[in-house]
Amino acid sequence: MSEAKLVKFKINGQEIEAPAGTMVIKAAHEAGIDVPHFCYHPGLTPDGNCRMCLVEASNARKPVASCVTPVAEGLEITTDSDTVKEAREGVLELMLLNHPLDCPICDKSGECMLQDNVYDHGPDNSRMTEPKMMKPTKDLGSTVALWGNRCIVCQRCTRFCEEVSGTGELAIIHRGDSSVVDVFPGYPLENDLSLNTVDICPVGALISKDFLYEARVWNMKDTPSICTGCSKGCNVEIQQERNQTRRIVPRHNPEVNDYWMCDEGREVFKPAVSEDRLLDYQLRTADGTIDTNPKNAASAIFNGLNQVSANHGTQAIAGIGSAFMSCEELYVFKLLFDGLQTPHLGAFSRPQREAKSFKQFEIPGDPNPNRLGVERILGREALEENLEKILSGIQNQSIRGALIFDDLLDWDLPAEWQSALSQLEFLAIFSLRDRTHLPQHSCLLPATTFGEKDGSMLNGEGRLQRLRIATQLPRTIRYEHEILQQMQQELGMRSKVVPPSALFKEMGKAVWPQLEISTIRELGDQGIQVESPTENPQRATVS
Amino acid sequence: MTTSTASPPETQQTQAPTGEKKKSTGFKFKTYIPAVITGLWNTFKHILKLDGHKTFTLNYPEEKLPVKKGYRGEHRLKKDELGREKCVACFMCQTVCPSVCIRIIAEEAPWEDRDKRPAVFEIDMLRCIYCGMCEEACPCDAIELTETYNVVATNRHAKVYDKDRLLSN
Ligand code: SF4
Ligand code: SF4
Ligand code: SF4
Ligand code: SF4
């Protein structure tokens, strides 16, 4: 990209430099000067229809919309003159003419740009005495509902559907103050990015049906993390209230997901709050009783595996991780099984699906958030060859004991695995769901999932990104990495259980020695590109 | 100011009202007798209802004090003319409540004229400080503090009032 020429200009007397072609509003925001707006969104082309961003420019007689005015050498912009203030008041008064102001029951309330802008810049009363226009409230598709009365016709949603998803379902119908957004008859808003329109709608006109009345936004706490729905690793904000995740919204990362995320990703927290989540340890002891004390989990698995290796040799045990484990978990897992001296180390992953490509967004075909992490830490063969070897090993009775991770979302053990696992002498399985059909001699351990663990994952493009804890674990559950570390302790490989940040340090040195990442904090909120995407040409061709 | 700080404290004390000093060191003062008698006389005045004294004690619960206007007692959720709760589950009261004792879970209203209503509305009366902020905050005039001050119960659970209890208050 050729560097655009820098242009010098002034905003409110403050000297500012920006590349030629930048719009005034963007330059102002970057310089920390507030220019209120509705229809402008940094991820969409400017439209200039809401007139909220009017400013005075030295090269125009009337106020101009700063979102469609490019910067120019020597331009002088004023954002705080009386004319501008009057213009803003006028715009807001017009916007409120037909606005229902049902903030108390509006899901957008608390993050509504109309509320904020009226509060900061609006007139203190309305001269409107006529009855307000009524517009429809209806479903636009299976995910999004429209509250027509609240629409301020900023066309962010229609531009999104044209420019980013490229599906073009939404349009503005009618004229003047009857204008409202709508879908064409028979073509509902059904695309995999539909819920982004809800995020970018500045008011509560587009509402997520899934989140409807779930929580008030000011009661929720945000945690920056990443989505674990697929190998893209979209940066997200996990919003939680009373230790329960309520919503996931995208977080800006120009290198990964820009401002967007897919609808499927917004559901990844569901298994953590689902009814049938496994919450108790079921450690089957030698005398047939079931122990539920999490403190005994590590020793139960360790003794079980040890017994098998004492009876049949160390080669008779296998470990199967998953492409949903964090890099830190995988690292401890690998060390543990190296310590147990078995080469049988595999990892489950969800089968590839068809990649989906939108105008400005790709949903990759690999639905595993940390597949690349597995390849780097356990080895590329872990995902396929080793799994096959382990399966045949179990079937021909050369493998008699296993520790298995079944923490993949929306995934079930394939039938051949289920029957094979029932032949094992000892089986320990970390699972999200209660698996009552498993053989009697197994230890069932609750797995942790999205939003509950700290650590890092390597996305499909080779970007190492940080997972953060948004919700505390249910009281009966321990972290997998703790249990794995306790098993290491039993082997004498580790003196004490350390947090994921310390594991990250160990792992960073061992797995990416050429990189000088010393602490997990360095990953920051945007992650670090540890491998260049082109280094993995096989990414595109993974079958 | 400057003169008082300049003068030595001892002289101030010795020069202090000499007449009073005499009084407080006298025989009467030392024995407390006059003070005791004055106090007892006061008591007898109350007992004998002299000087217009009257009894303040009420035979509660047979007798009750009239509640003053604006008294803030237990909450009530108001009903509209069709007998449905007026509350639209906007969470304003929950947000403003300084003792965080209101718990609401919202749901879609089954009625035509509104979108939202509370599926669960609970107030933990033991945490409530009866400040009345919830009443002030409510945009729908749906909650108010009544004059009920008889707030006893035999267990803690009974003091967490649910929607039905609040509606019938
Ligand atoms: S869109 Fe904003 S201003 Fe309008 S009702 Fe909703 S919260 Fe209130
Ligand atoms: S629905 Fe929202 S985003 Fe779409 S035009 Fe109306 S206000 Fe703008
Ligand atoms: S009276 Fe005060 S403390 Fe009690 S519920 Fe209302 S706001 Fe909360
Ligand atoms: S403020 Fe009023 S309407 Fe809102 S939730 Fe409380 S009682 Fe209901």
Side-chain angles (χ1 to χ4, degrees):
Chain A
M1 207 180 97
S2 62
E3 278 295 305
K5 199 169 124 283
L6 282 184
V7 175
K8 270 204 181 100
F9 67 107
K10 279 183 180 171
I11 301 182
N12 299 344
Q14 184 183 337
E15 189 100 6
I16 288 174
E17 263 189 350
T22 314
M23 296 301 162
V24 169
I25 194 169
K26 192 168 177 223
H29 285 169
E30 274 164 14
I33 298 166
D34 176 40
V35 178
H37 58 277
F38 290 106
C39 73
Y40 165 76
H41 187 285
L44 301 171
T45 54
D47 203 38
N49 70 52
C50 76
R51 315 313 287 172
M52 189 63 211
C53 65
L54 291 180
V55 294
E56 276 191 289
S58 58
N59 60 2
R61 273 190 298 156
K62 290 197 287 180
V64 294
S66 58
C67 68
V68 285
T69 307
V71 297
E73 192 67 46
L75 187 66
E76 282 181 29
I77 300 284
T78 322
T79 69
D80 52 4
S81 67
D82 286 343
T83 319
V84 173
K85 284 183 185 153
E86 204 182 326
R88 286 176 187 163
E89 275 191 16
V91 168
L92 286 169
E93 188 175 4
L94 286 173
M95 257 172 206
L96 292 181
L97 281 190
N98 285 310
H99 196 86
L101 285 176
D102 50 2
C103 311
I105 54 158
C106 177
D107 266 354
K108 202 74 176 187
S109 182
E111 55 178 11
C112 170
M113 294 174 75
L114 188 57
Q115 277 186 330
D116 294 350
N117 284 342
V118 172
Y119 192 79
D120 290 341
H121 309 284
D124 49 10
N125 64 348
S126 166
R127 288 170 285 173
M128 170 86 165
T129 50
E130 315 303 320
K132 296 192 173 191
M133 294 278 299
M134 291 303 280
K135 296 172 193 169
T137 299
K138 61 182 218 176
D139 285 355
L140 293 185
S142 53
T143 52
V144 180
L146 167 76
W147 261 255
N149 287 340
R150 297 177 191 152
C151 176
I152 56 166
V153 204
C154 68
Q155 302 188 12
R156 272 185 174 188
C157 55
T158 57
R159 274 178 290 150
F160 176 86
C161 287
E162 273 156 32
E163 295 165 13
V164 182
S165 71
T167 45
E169 292 103 335
L170 294 176
I172 305 290
I173 58 162
H174 301 314
R175 299 275 167 110
D177 64 356
S178 317
S179 322
V180 67
V181 74
D182 207 341
V183 289
F184 300 100
Y187 295 92
L189 176 60
E190 299 288 354
N191 64 58
D192 290 305
L193 305 177
S194 63
L195 284 168
N196 289 303
T197 59
V198 174
D199 294 332
I200 59 171
C201 179
V203 291
L206 299 180
I207 292 288
S208 156
K209 288 208 262 181
D210 188 43
F211 181 66
L212 183 70
Y213 304 148
E214 277 288 309
R216 308 290 350 228
V217 295
W218 59 84
N219 286 334
M220 299 191 291
K221 293 201 177 59
D222 293 7
T223 311
S225 187
I226 56 167
C227 171
T228 57
C230 78
S231 65
K232 192 172 178 95
C234 287
N235 289 209
V236 299
E237 209 73 73
I238 308 174
Q239 303 189 318
Q240 158 273 122
E241 184 191 356
R242 295 181 203 202
N243 205 32
Q244 202 182 72
T245 306
R246 302 290 173 145
R247 182 170 74 164
I248 298 174
V249 291
R251 183 161 57 83
H252 179 50
N253 187 340
E255 302 297 324
V256 181
N257 57 323
D258 211 1
Y259 295 90
W260 326 114
M261 72 182 292
C262 75
D263 292 358
E264 206 189 306
R266 295 177 199 249
E267 308 256 319
V268 293
F269 71 94
K270 295 277 167 79
V273 296
S274 94
E275 294 274 300
D276 61 354
R277 170 146 192 213
L278 177 64
L279 290 173
D280 289 313
Y281 288 83
Q282 294 174 22
L283 313 168
R284 293 202 170 78
T285 48
D287 53 2
T289 55
I290 292 181
D291 184 359
T292 57
N293 188 348
K295 286 193 187 127
N296 300 337
S299 55
I301 312 171
F302 184 77
N303 294 341
L305 290 178
N306 239 2
Q307 191 68 41
V308 173
S309 87
N311 291 350
H312 306 279
T314 57
Q315 305 271 319
I317 52 180
I320 306 180
S322 87
F324 274 67
M325 291 160 77
S326 70
C327 290
E328 288 75 8
E329 285 165 351
L330 285 167
Y331 176 69
V332 189
F333 187 70
K334 162 103 173 122
L335 289 188
L336 177 69
F337 278 87
D338 286 352
L340 290 168
Q341 296 163 359
T342 168
H344 302 302
L345 205 52
F348 287 128
S349 60
R350 295 200 289 190
Q352 300 289 312
R353 55 184 186 190
E354 211 177 308
K356 286 183 192 144
S357 174
F358 296 90
K359 238 177 174 175
Q360 284 185 39
F361 196 87
E362 305 280 330
I363 302 178
D366 178 6
N368 301 294
N370 203 16
R371 185 193 186 94
L372 211 53
V374 173
E375 290 185 6
R376 292 297 165 272
I377 295 165
L378 301 187
R380 185 160 293 153
E381 58 293 343
L383 288 157
E384 310 214 334
E385 292 160 44
N386 280 9
L387 271 188
E388 276 162 31
K389 274 189 215 152
I390 296 172
L391 183 59
S392 56
I394 298 175
Q395 278 160 348
N396 67 25
Q397 310 256 318
S398 64
I399 293 177
R400 309 290 302 146
L403 170 60
I404 286 177
F405 274 79
D406 163 35
D407 57 352
L408 300 91
L409 305 177
D410 302 323
W411 183 83
D412 211 352
L413 280 168
E416 71 265 25
W417 275 99
Q418 300 208 13
S419 57
L421 291 180
S422 60
Q423 303 170 12
L424 286 175
E425 231 178 79
F426 174 80
L427 170 67
I429 181 159
F430 280 99
S431 180
L432 284 174
R433 276 162 298 168
D434 207 346
R435 295 191 170 279
T436 36
H437 56 270
L438 279 175
Q440 284 305 305
H441 46 258
S442 62
C443 284
L444 209 50
L445 311 132
T448 58
T449 179
F450 173 81
E452 294 175 341
K453 43 188 172 193
D454 190 4
S456 59
M457 280 190 177
L458 190 60
N459 83 354
E461 301 287 317
R463 195 176 186 84
L464 197 58
Q465 303 191 100
R466 177 95 190 259
L467 289 166
R468 280 203 183 77
I469 298 176
T471 52
Q472 299 303 315
L473 282 185
R475 231 176 308 166
T476 46
I477 302 186
R478 298 286 179 277
Y479 286 108
E480 289 104 324
H481 73 81
E482 280 178 16
I483 293 178
L484 294 176
Q485 286 187 64
Q486 283 163 4
M487 289 170 66
Q488 279 192 307
Q489 279 181 318
E490 307 240 355
L491 265 180
M493 296 169 71
R494 191 176 280 281
S495 54
K496 65 173 200 286
V497 175
V498 294
S501 52
L503 290 176
F504 181 86
K505 268 189 204 166
E506 289 176 31
M507 177 193 73
K509 277 187 213 121
V511 183
W512 291 283
Q514 77 283 13
L515 292 168
E516 279 155 12
I517 318 174
S518 52
T519 66
I520 195 163
R521 279 207 195 154
E522 282 171 38
L523 295 183
D525 283 345
Q526 309 262 300
I528 290 182
Q529 199 73 39
V530 295
E531 292 169 24
S532 81
T534 47
E535 262 176 37
N536 325 293
Q538 82 285 355
R539 300 303 318 145
T541 56
V542 167
S543 57
Chain B
M1 286 274 267
T2 44
T3 49
S4 71
T5 46
S7 63
E10 311 93 84
T11 48
Q12 243 185 11
Q13 266 184 10
T14 45
Q15 278 167 11
T18 42
E20 257 183 46
K21 207 176 182 188
K22 227 183 224 167
K23 226 184 194 173
S24 59
T25 50
F27 170 76
K28 279 188 192 167
F29 183 85
K30 275 188 175 162
T31 55
Y32 301 105
I33 287 171
V36 170
I37 292 173
T38 324
L40 278 175
W41 174 235
N42 206 3
T43 311
F44 279 113
K45 274 201 296 196
H46 279 86
I47 293 175
L48 305 171
K49 300 215 170 63
L50 301 177
D51 270 5
H53 282 287
K54 61 173 201 255
T55 315
F56 287 104
T57 318
L58 279 184
N59 289 326
Y60 187 84
E62 285 81 24
E63 290 172 47
K64 283 184 181 143
L65 267 181
V67 178
K68 295 264 163 55
K69 206 163 177 286
Y71 181 83
R72 301 192 300 265
E74 284 191 339
H75 306 68
R76 163 198 294 149
L77 277 182
K78 294 198 201 165
K79 294 182 194 162
D80 63 6
E81 50 296 339
L82 294 177
R84 312 168 301 186
E85 63 268 24
K86 279 168 95 177
C87 173
V88 295
C90 70
F91 288 64
M92 296 298 142
C93 50
Q94 182 247 36
T95 305
V96 79
C97 177
S99 46
V100 205
C101 63
I102 304 183
R103 179 171 154 255
I104 305 171
I105 296 176
E107 67 177 6
E108 254 177 284
W111 310 307
E112 272 297 296
D113 59 342
R114 68 184 84 155
D115 293 337
K116 199 177 174 188
R117 71 162 185 185
V120 172
F121 193 110
E122 281 177 5
I123 303 184
D124 186 343
M125 292 300 197
L126 292 175
R127 291 187 71 171
C128 175
I129 55 169
Y130 299 95
C131 63
M133 300 277 262
C134 45
E135 183 177 342
E136 299 254 326
C138 182
C140 300
D141 198 15
I143 192 167
E144 70 174 355
L145 272 65
T146 63
E147 298 179 343
T148 315
Y149 58 81
N150 181 2
V151 292
V152 288
T154 49
N155 64 65
R156 281 168 180 276
H157 295 296
K159 293 307 292 179
V160 180
Y161 286 8
D162 63 2
K163 193 169 89 173
D164 292 333
R165 177 77 172 79
L166 289 165
L167 279 168
S168 59
N169 233 355

